[in-house]
Amino acid sequence: MKGEKIKIAITDDHQIIIDGLISLLKQHPSIEIVGTANDGASMLSQLQKQPVDILLTDVMMPGMSGQQLAKAVKQQFPSIKIIALSMSGQGDVVEEMINEADIAGYLLKQTNASELAGAISKVYNGGMYFHEGVLKELEAQANIRKQVEAVHITNREKQLIALIEKELSNKEIAETLSISLLTVETHRKNIFRKTGTNNALSLVKWAYEHKVLTPKA
């Protein structure tokens, strides 16, 4: 590690979380907290003026989310390394932040001071750090993707599932997609066969579990 202190900035919409992180990190003389903010826009403004090595950011924030902040930071300040902090390590969220913002770490807020400091040190020195629970979520996400690929749901079938979720009748689906009623019925039979379901409710449940449908914000 370099002789200089690791400059850290923290973004979280809950001040009590920031205060707790400051208290934890004060125990480590190699780390210096040079900025904090309760929202993404304020943090971006601070980063224009204050050099930072690592940004610790919450994921679920109102306004600009942690994903959006991380992506903006990576675009505007590519040298800054990003560690996400969250109450949960939802696999699709972690994947999105890795792919779109190239984050170097993801920690759960239940982490202790030793793990947090270790993660910061590892990331600062060019490594990556993902909490064990987050790695398990990523593995589960990969398995879900493999299952969907094995089932091979086509784009047209995904359209039908989305319309079935909206409780449209076969006739309404046919009109919406400009296809025949017989084609809709054939698609439905194929979808139920592929997914191992036998009614609309169980199909929609399967689709959400396997990320074919995603909850609306």
Side-chain angles (χ1 to χ4, degrees):
M1 182 179 290
K2 302 173 185 177
E4 297 179 356
K5 290 187 175 183
I6 306 172
K7 293 182 172 59
I8 301 290
I10 304 171
T11 310
D12 197 295
D13 58 314
H14 295 98
Q15 187 61 41
I16 192 170
I17 297 294
I18 292 178
D19 293 342
L21 290 170
I22 291 172
S23 178
L24 287 176
L25 294 175
K26 274 184 179 178
Q27 304 170 33
H28 299 272
S30 63
I31 296 171
E32 180 184 5
I33 298 169
V34 297
T36 66
N38 296 122
D39 62 84
S42 297
M43 178 51 67
L44 286 174
S45 178
Q46 287 187 40
L47 294 177
Q48 297 281 358
K49 308 162 189 173
Q50 172 64 57
V52 167
D53 297 311
I54 295 175
L55 170 67
L56 301 180
T57 181
D58 185 16
V59 176
M60 303 301 177
M61 297 187 293
M64 181 183 290
S65 69
Q67 293 102 308
Q68 292 169 326
L69 172 60
K71 189 174 180 180
V73 169
K74 190 50 63 176
Q75 290 173 343
Q76 298 178 36
F77 313 98
S79 65
I80 295 177
K81 296 173 181 178
I82 302 167
I83 298 176
L85 294 167
S86 180
M87 293 299 294
S88 67
Q90 193 173 327
D92 53 346
V93 174
V94 181
E95 278 194 341
E96 181 182 343
M97 295 189 77
I98 292 173
N99 295 333
E100 295 190 5
D102 194 27
I103 62 170
Y106 197 111
L107 290 169
L108 301 183
K109 288 184 177 178
Q110 303 94 300
T111 189
N112 57 44
S114 177
E115 184 179 19
L116 177 58
I120 289 171
S121 177
K122 186 173 183 180
V123 167
Y124 179 68
N125 286 291
M128 302 180 75
Y129 190 94
F130 290 84
H131 185 276
E132 183 180 351
V134 174
L135 292 175
K136 288 179 180 178
E137 284 284 343
L138 286 172
E139 183 179 0
Q141 184 73 11
N143 288 335
I144 286 173
R145 189 161 50 247
K146 288 177 183 176
Q147 290 172 23
V148 173
E149 289 171 357
V151 169
H152 188 58
I153 298 293
T154 67
N155 288 333
R156 175 62 88 187
E157 288 168 344
K158 288 178 182 179
Q159 289 178 315
L160 256 81
I161 292 171
L163 295 174
I164 290 170
E165 193 262 347
K166 293 179 180 177
E167 299 184 354
L168 269 65
S169 67
N170 283 1
K171 182 179 178 183
E172 290 169 327
I173 291 173
E175 292 172 351
T176 300
L177 299 178
S178 299
I179 57 179
S180 72
L181 186 58
L182 178 60
T183 299
V184 172
E185 291 170 349
T186 301
H187 278 313
R188 284 183 75 118
K189 288 177 183 177
N190 287 336
I191 291 168
F192 286 141
R193 174 180 54 80
K194 287 180 178 182
T195 59
T197 58
N198 56 17
N199 57 56
L201 183 60
S202 59
L203 171 62
V204 170
K205 182 175 181 291
W206 181 94
Y208 276 111
E209 289 174 347
H210 291 79
K211 313 298 181 183
V212 174
L213 291 175
T214 55
K216 298 172 183 63

